[in-house]
Amino acid sequence: EYYLDHIIMSNMSRGDVLLENKFSFNQKLQIVEAFNIVSKAGIDSVKKLNSIRNNCAHNLDFKVTEAEVDQIGRSNGKKYLDIKSKYYKSVKELLHWTLVLPVAALAVHTEQK
């Protein structure tokens, strides 16, 4: 969410007005998507990540599966396949390395301004 806030603040002269309204994570993601500066793959990864995060938050027994990690990584094509072939020793390790993709997609836009 930090990265979404930063992107909004960096790309709108009065982004603070939006952030004062306590938008949800999903609403902030839609705003960032509308800026069209984060790749579609990055946005899709973050959307899937948020969906899985919600499942974890509402079900304490929720276990992340390989299929869910695939949902986060799939939109990144070859980048994800490379991660999966290199780091898939366990779902936990695959998730760890896959999370680099959505975080990097957002983080790169916090360094530009």
Side-chain angles (χ1 to χ4, degrees):
E1 195 159 352
Y2 164 83
Y3 293 118
L4 296 176
D5 290 351
H6 194 282
I7 292 169
I8 290 168
M9 290 296 294
S10 297
N11 288 280
M12 298 185 81
S13 59
R14 289 301 315 272
D16 60 310
V17 173
L18 287 177
L19 297 179
E20 288 171 0
N21 286 306
K22 306 291 183 206
F23 284 106
S24 70
F25 181 90
N26 192 52
Q27 290 167 322
K28 290 177 183 180
L29 186 57
Q30 288 176 330
I31 292 167
V32 169
E33 184 176 16
F35 291 145
N36 199 32
I37 59 170
V38 176
S39 70
K40 179 168 175 23
I43 293 292
D44 290 347
S45 289
V46 174
K47 284 180 181 178
K48 296 295 184 183
L49 174 59
N50 190 47
S51 174
I52 293 168
R53 185 207 63 83
N54 284 336
N55 288 336
C56 291
H58 297 290
N59 179 356
L60 297 178
D61 296 325
F62 184 81
K63 301 281 187 220
V64 177
T65 66
E66 181 181 351
E68 280 131 358
V69 178
D70 286 343
Q71 289 176 6
I72 297 168
R74 186 177 298 127
S75 62
N76 292 279
K78 184 171 177 356
K79 286 181 188 176
Y80 175 63
L81 294 176
D82 290 345
I83 286 172
K84 191 168 183 176
S85 69
K86 186 173 182 180
Y87 295 108
Y88 187 45
K89 296 179 182 87
S90 68
V91 172
K92 183 178 178 180
E93 186 173 10
L94 179 61
L95 177 62
H96 170 85
W97 288 104
T98 301
L99 291 178
V100 169
L101 298 170
V103 171
L106 296 177
V108 70
H109 297 288
T110 64
E111 302 299 321
Q112 292 181 349
K113 303 273 178 181

